[in-house]
């Protein structure tokens, strides 16, 4: 919705304002200028980015359109899942978690929380560290460092996508100048034409500069910023998991480990202590 509303506002303000001050919209219709700019931008994008980034382009636009996929209810579910997992390990020992972490797709524990169960990376993150804990890894500082390394790698993978979009925003103004220069060259070839013809040709050439700046700062730049904000918001899902796991490994009881995880969330999606307490109280006694 934000993408649609923002796009409408940009178009109305730019083109509506231009028309309101007496500009002729027909002059802006220079399709070959747009082909030069957008075609060169797409080609440069392909040259600059590796296969994984190019494959992520469809999902990238989906992320921009939808925004962060986790709301407050999703975080309540995440905290309830952690409480249920920690409580089971506390009551029955880490061996009771083995069927769940070895076959998470069939786990009654994880499948009781559908948003979490649908997140392959989050499930893998939890299973990996609970498996390490069951194998005897209990040095909280070493596990903390390993988690940081894994989350940093995940962040870098996302930053490649943000950087690709930002490079597109940085490059299109220059490509607009390329299109404008080509338009001027075309105009110089018609220097013997009357002033009204030359004026039309020069105006068409300048559309290239306009369009390059327009798409860079009106769309590509904001899209890169939107992607970055969405990825940062979603990264808190993993940071919350990390905080809860480390608190449990440090010896905190399940209720306190979940509180550590809750405090790691942004305030706009962080459930209250009472909301988490209500969610955990409603959980079944056994899995």
């Amino acid at each position: 919705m934000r993408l649609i509303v923002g796009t409408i506002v940009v178009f109305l303000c730019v083109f509506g304002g231009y028309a309101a001050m007496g500009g002729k919209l027909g002059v802006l219709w220079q399709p070959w200028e747009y082909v030069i700019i957008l075609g060169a931008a797409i080609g440069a994008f392909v040259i600059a980015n590796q296969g994984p980034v190019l494959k992520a382009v469809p999902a990238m636009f989906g992320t921009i359109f939808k925004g962060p996929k986790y709301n407050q209810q999703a975080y309540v579910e995440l905290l309830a899942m952690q409480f249920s997992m920690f409580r089971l390990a506390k009551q029955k020992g880490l061996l009771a978690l083995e069927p769940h972490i070895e076959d998470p797709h069939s786990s009654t524990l994880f499948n009781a929380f559908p948003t979490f169960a649908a997140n392959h990376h989050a499930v893998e993150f939890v299973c990996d560290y609970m498996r390490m804990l069951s194998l005897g890894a209990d040095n909280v500082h070493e596990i903390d460092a390993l988690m940081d390394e894994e989350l940093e790698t995940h962040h870098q993978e996302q930053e490649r996508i943000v950087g690709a979009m930002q490079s597109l925003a940085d490059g299109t103004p220059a490509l607009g100048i390329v299109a404008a220069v080509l338009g001027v060259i075309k105009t110089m070839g018609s220097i013997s034409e009357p002033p009204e013809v030359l004026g039309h040709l020069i105006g068409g050439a300048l559309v290239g500069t306009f369009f390059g700046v327009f798409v860079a700062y009106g769309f590509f730049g904001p899209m890169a910023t939107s992607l970055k904000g969405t990825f940062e918001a979603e990264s808190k899902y993993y940071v919350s998991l990390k905080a809860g796991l480390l608190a449990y490994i440090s010896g905190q009881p399940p209720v306190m480990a979940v509180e550590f995880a809750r405090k790691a969330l942004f305030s706009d999606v962080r459930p209250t202590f009472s909301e988490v307490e209500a969610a955990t109280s409603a959980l079944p006694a056994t899995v």
Side-chain angles (χ1 to χ4, degrees):
M1 182 58 69
R2 291 185 302 108
L3 179 62
I4 295 173
V5 172
T7 299
I8 292 172
V9 171
V10 169
F11 271 100
L12 283 179
C13 290
V14 173
F15 294 103
Y18 172 73
M21 67 183 186
K24 296 180 180 180
L25 291 174
V27 176
L28 299 179
W29 179 242
Q30 303 292 334
W32 291 115
E33 297 269 348
Y34 305 153
V35 169
I36 292 170
I37 296 167
L38 294 180
I42 292 171
F45 188 87
V46 171
I47 293 171
N49 296 290
Q50 298 177 347
V53 176
L54 298 178
K55 291 178 182 178
V57 168
M60 175 179 68
F61 284 104
T63 300
I64 294 170
F65 186 80
K66 295 176 183 178
K69 58 184 176 182
Y70 301 118
N71 54 21
Q72 189 178 71
Q73 186 55 42
Y75 285 110
V76 171
E77 180 190 288
L78 176 67
L79 297 173
M81 185 283 300
Q82 292 186 75
F83 178 83
S84 185
M85 179 175 63
F86 298 149
R87 183 181 61 180
L88 177 63
K90 185 79 171 179
Q91 292 175 347
K92 299 184 179 181
L94 288 172
L95 287 179
L97 289 177
E98 187 172 346
H100 303 288
I101 61 180
E102 294 301 332
D103 187 13
H105 299 295
S106 303
S107 167
T108 55
L109 170 63
F110 296 146
N111 288 325
F113 308 96
T115 302
F116 171 78
N119 188 328
H120 167 74
H121 294 295
V123 171
E124 185 178 352
F125 183 85
V126 169
C127 290
D128 283 349
Y129 288 102
M130 292 308 293
R131 186 181 296 110
M132 290 172 59
L133 190 61
S134 68
L135 292 173
D138 58 356
N139 188 314
V140 67
H141 299 295
E142 292 179 354
I143 295 177
D144 184 13
L146 184 59
M147 286 182 175
D148 282 342
E149 187 66 31
E150 182 173 354
L151 293 180
E152 178 61 23
T153 299
H154 183 66
H155 175 70
Q156 289 172 349
E157 290 174 346
Q158 293 178 327
E159 277 296 312
R160 290 192 302 179
I161 301 174
V162 175
M165 180 59 72
Q166 187 59 54
S167 296
L168 198 60
D170 294 339
T172 43
L175 293 174
I177 295 174
V178 170
V181 170
L182 291 174
V184 171
I185 293 172
K186 174 189 172 184
T187 301
M188 296 304 293
S190 305
I191 197 67
S192 60
E193 297 292 335
E196 56 270 19
V197 174
L198 289 176
H200 181 78
L201 292 173
I202 293 171
L206 292 176
V207 168
T209 301
F210 153 74
F211 186 72
V213 175
F214 174 65
V215 295
Y217 295 104
F219 295 99
F220 295 148
M223 284 180 178
T225 302
S226 177
L227 269 178
K228 184 176 181 179
T230 297
F231 287 149
E232 286 179 348
E234 291 182 354
S235 71
K236 282 296 182 179
Y237 198 85
Y238 297 92
V239 172
S240 176
L241 280 172
K242 171 192 168 183
L245 287 167
L246 288 177
Y248 176 75
I249 295 170
S250 299
Q252 296 290 344
V255 65
M256 284 304 301
V258 168
E259 183 63 9
F260 274 72
R262 185 182 75 88
K263 287 294 188 180
L265 300 173
F266 283 135
S267 59
D268 60 323
V269 293
R270 182 193 303 150
T272 64
F273 180 86
S274 299
E275 289 171 331
V276 176
E277 186 176 34
T280 54
S281 298
L283 292 172
T286 58
V287 179

